[in-house]
Amino acid sequence: VTGTQVVLEAARDSGVERLVYVSTLNVYDASRYPDGAEIDEAFPDESQPERRGAYSHAKLLAEREVRAFDPGSTMSILVVRPGLVYGPGGSGLPADVGIRVGRRAVVVPGGSRRIPVVFITNLVDALVEGGRGDAVGRQSIVNVVDPDYPSQRRYLQRYRELTGERLVALYVPFPVISVCCWMAERVFA
């Protein structure tokens, strides 16, 4: 967060006209996601970011710094919230799709959750285009996702086709995970 503040002040003091800040869709309140529906930039922020994990928490705090920053009348700021980035150079199976356990992928909640993805070159194109904006003195936010929102099951199937990996998927329905977590809380609390 401190680094974000330093960059904002340095950009303003150096006369930067357009700043593009890369955030994440993880700043949205996951507990309020509509089932199967898409969300837009007006969707509420995560209400308990500290419970969501260090990455989401830090990104939301930094983005709030960006949104609260007064760029003055000489600089505009664009906040870009990319979906799950995929493409050449990726680091394997994303945790949003499934958790790797050896040659298995544990997929919760049962493989039906849709994943907002963006191909790396589409994201780069959006960032370059965003840097060309001319709304000086203004701030705006844009989600960057491809039009296709594959399910976890479909993403995993395509991942196996492209990589040739023989990952075995274990699809675990959300109620099963809920019961396991409830039992773990009772046993280990």
Side-chain angles (χ1 to χ4, degrees), residues 7-54:
V7 168
L8 288 167
E9 292 167 7
R12 181 189 58 209
D13 296 346
S14 299
V16 170
E17 295 178 8
R18 181 82 164 161
L19 177 81
V20 178
Y21 174 77
V22 180
S23 184
T24 175
L25 293 180
N26 286 350
V27 300
Y28 290 124
D29 192 344
S31 68
R32 297 175 64 184
Y33 283 162
D35 193 26
E38 295 177 17
I39 59 172
D40 64 17
E41 292 81 359
F43 198 76
D45 287 349
E46 179 63 58
S47 57
Q48 298 178 330
E50 63 284 351
R51 295 185 69 193
R52 182 96 178 264

Side-chain angles (χ1 to χ4, degrees), residues 9 60 65 77 87 90 105 163-164 172:
E9 292 167 7
L60 181 55
E65 287 294 324
I77 298 175
T163 64
V172 183

Side-chain angles (χ1 to χ4, degrees), residues 67-138:
R67 293 187 327 221
F69 185 75
D70 180 10
S73 60
T74 61
M75 181 170 72
S76 64
I77 298 175
L78 173 65
V79 175
V80 174
R81 295 176 176 161
L84 178 68
V85 182
Y86 72 100
S91 60
L93 185 68
D96 288 36
V97 175
I99 299 166
R100 270 190 106 111
V101 181
R103 292 184 48 171
R104 290 181 169 68
V106 179
V107 183
V108 178
S112 61
R113 187 167 65 91
R114 294 175 65 213
I115 308 293
V117 297
V118 60
F119 191 69
I120 185 66
T121 56
N122 295 342
L123 175 58
V124 170
D125 290 347
L127 293 172
V128 169
E129 189 61 34
R132 292 184 180 141
D134 59 358
V136 173
R138 299 179 44 137

